[in-house]
Amino acid sequence: MTVNTDFIYCQSDQGDNRHVTDTAVGCNMAIRSEVLEDIGWFDERLPYGHEEAELADRIRDAYSVWYSPDLLVEHPFAESIPDYLEKQYRHGKESIPYYKTRGKNVPKPIVKFMLVPAYYSESTVSLSVISVIGRIVSDVGTLHGYLTYELADSGRRIDA
């Protein structure tokens, strides 16, 4: 297949046709080298899981992002509930440097993800229960990350 776009995204099913999309995170992507030369590479200062989201944000700021149903990427997911919860916690904790790098008001997304009910619901009751537990674990991680990184920025230290 010939790809004639700058950034292709294929994480979730968005239908059978290629189209421009705003839904893009860093995993499952193909990027032209010219785009990376233009906007820069991964920001290695960012911890787990957010260096790719931050790169996708910079790409989206400068280029069109395309969804392509033809691209397939193998991506490992958590294989057990403890693995899932550990991943949720780690992802929440390490979201703080990402928010700061993007110049976001850090407390705003923390409150948004904790208080908006849509972030806690899924298509079935059992998925919703797992989602609620995962969201709470992620929120605890986010609060821990906020305290860790805010204290680090103020010169104080908290053990992670």
Side-chain angles (χ1 to χ4, degrees), residues 34-160:
E34 297 87 12
V35 170
L36 293 172
E37 290 166 5
D38 179 39
I39 59 114
W41 299 79
F42 288 100
D43 185 342
E44 295 179 13
R45 297 170 299 166
L46 293 174
Y48 169 80
H50 297 285
E51 71 284 358
E52 61 190 27
E54 191 274 336
L55 177 66
D57 287 343
R58 283 187 284 127
I59 292 170
R60 202 172 32 244
D61 290 345
Y63 294 91
S64 294
V65 176
W66 281 79
Y67 166 77
S68 177
D70 303 327
L71 296 177
L72 298 175
V73 178
E74 294 275 334
H75 191 280
F77 290 94
E79 296 184 14
S80 68
I81 290 177
D83 286 348
Y84 167 72
L85 295 176
E86 190 276 331
K87 184 176 181 179
Q88 289 296 98
Y89 178 84
R90 190 168 22 131
H91 197 267
K93 181 180 178 200
E94 304 303 346
S95 66
I96 303 305
Y98 165 73
Y99 294 145
K100 292 177 128 191
T101 299
R102 293 301 293 170
K104 294 185 179 193
N105 174 342
V106 175
K108 187 175 181 178
I110 292 173
V111 171
K112 174 180 142 184
F113 286 121
M114 287 182 179
L115 299 179
V116 174
Y119 292 107
Y120 294 88
S121 63
E122 293 291 338
S123 58
T124 67
V125 172
S126 58
L127 284 176
S128 291
V129 168
I130 293 169
S131 179
V132 166
I133 294 168
R135 184 74 252 163
I136 290 169
V137 168
S138 178
D139 292 342
V140 169
T142 302
L143 290 173
H144 182 205
Y146 184 70
L147 291 174
T148 300
Y149 292 109
E150 286 301 309
L151 289 176
D153 286 350
S154 68
R156 293 175 288 205
R157 180 172 161 77
I158 186 171
D159 290 327

